[in-house]
Amino acid sequence: MKTFIALLRVMLGSFKDLLPIILVIAFFQLLILQQPLPDLISILGGLILVVLGLTFFIFGLEMGLFPIGESMAQAFAKKGSLAGLLGFAFCLGFGTTIAEPALTAVAAEAAKVAASGGVIEMTEQAMKDYTVGLRLTVALSVGLAIVLGVLRILKGWSIHLMIIFGYLCVMILTIFAPETIIGIAYDSGGVTTSTITVPLVTALGVGLASSIKGRNPMVDGFGLIAFASLLPMIFVMIFGMTIA
């Protein structure tokens, strides 16, 4: 019964999160464009599916993925295995990014645009190779970003200086990178921090900071997502420079 009540609460929260988007679309469609919503039944059915999908996804994260990410981080910290912890951090960042639907969509679209713009050959194989290369590059960068974030928590490094240095690198690379890759690189930093990556990476950081004496989970447990947004921009611009 408690599980059912919790599920209903998550469903209500999902609907509240979607409500502003629904109101904005309805306002502009009905009052600004002054046109009826096309295929209203289909739209309502789609909204119901979106609410249900978000509900089960968030509920699943809260029940399974978030606790296991936090508990594994604590277990590695208590065991004292630095190599195991860093290996887990890399695999977590790499695996969640490869599975990220937003990255898959962006990489596929980028391949089509690159082919139409003459950056790569207009063949199915060339576009497939470009898509796979881009996804692997972003996943590798996120894996290394999580390792860097874990080391920051362990060593107590200043996140301010690390982020400033990282964005200086982004600015310098922007000067030399091909124009065709800059926009993709900047977007890659956003698509990596989406529905799958964020909860697990956050759980890792909070769980690790909670297990280390002298670390504050509120201060040190967060910040890994910043690295996961930053490093893909750097790596994707380097990727673009190597294939140009």
Side-chain angles (χ1 to χ4, degrees):
M1 188 63 180
K2 290 182 179 179
T3 303
F4 181 72
I5 294 173
L7 182 63
L8 289 178
R9 287 176 180 172
V10 174
M11 186 177 297
L12 181 61
S14 299
F15 178 74
K16 287 181 178 179
D17 291 339
L18 285 173
L19 188 58
I21 302 174
I22 296 171
L23 293 176
V24 167
I25 293 173
F27 173 78
F28 280 93
Q29 183 73 25
L30 301 177
L31 298 182
I32 304 300
L33 297 176
Q34 295 183 348
Q35 294 178 358
L37 290 170
D39 200 355
L40 182 60
I41 301 298
S42 177
I43 291 175
L44 290 176
L47 287 174
I48 292 173
L49 291 175
V50 169
V51 171
L52 290 175
L54 281 174
T55 299
F56 287 116
F57 180 76
I58 294 171
F59 195 66
L61 287 177
E62 292 178 352
M63 284 187 64
L65 292 184
F66 202 98
I68 198 172
E70 192 170 340
S71 64
M72 288 186 72
Q74 292 173 348
F76 275 115
K78 291 177 181 178
K79 190 175 181 180
S81 174
L82 179 61
L85 177 60
L86 295 181
F88 171 65
F90 176 83
C91 292
L92 182 68
F94 186 91
T96 54
T97 305
I98 281 290
E100 196 65 67
L103 176 60
T104 302
V106 168
E109 193 64 29
K112 294 177 185 177
V113 174
S116 61
V119 177
I120 59 175
E121 296 180 4
M122 183 66 80
T123 63
E124 185 176 346
Q125 186 60 44
M127 288 190 287
K128 182 179 179 181
D129 291 343
Y130 186 91
T131 301
V132 172
L134 186 59
R135 289 180 64 194
L136 288 175
T137 299
V138 175
L140 177 64
S141 67
V142 175
L144 293 176
I146 305 306
V147 169
L148 186 63
V150 167
L151 286 173
R152 181 193 71 83
I153 295 174
L154 295 174
K155 302 294 184 180
W157 295 335
S158 170
I159 189 173
H160 311 84
L161 296 178
M162 295 176 72
I163 294 298
I164 290 171
F165 177 76
Y167 276 103
L168 284 175
C169 292
V170 170
M171 293 171 63
I172 294 171
L173 283 171
T174 302
I175 299 173
F176 299 101
E179 291 184 0
T180 52
I181 201 66
I182 292 174
I184 298 171
Y186 280 36
D187 282 346
S188 297
V191 298
T192 56
T193 53
S194 191
T195 50
I196 297 177
T197 308
V198 170
L200 286 170
V201 170
T202 303
L204 171 66
V206 172
L208 184 60
S210 302
S211 305
I212 300 176
K213 187 177 180 180
R215 295 289 180 266
N216 186 333
M218 199 67 188
V219 176
D220 302 302
F222 295 89
L224 272 71
I225 303 301
F227 294 110
S229 298
L230 176 60
L231 260 66
M233 291 190 280
I234 296 174
F235 275 61
V236 171
M237 281 192 278
I238 295 173
F239 171 76
M241 294 166 67
T242 58
I243 66 171

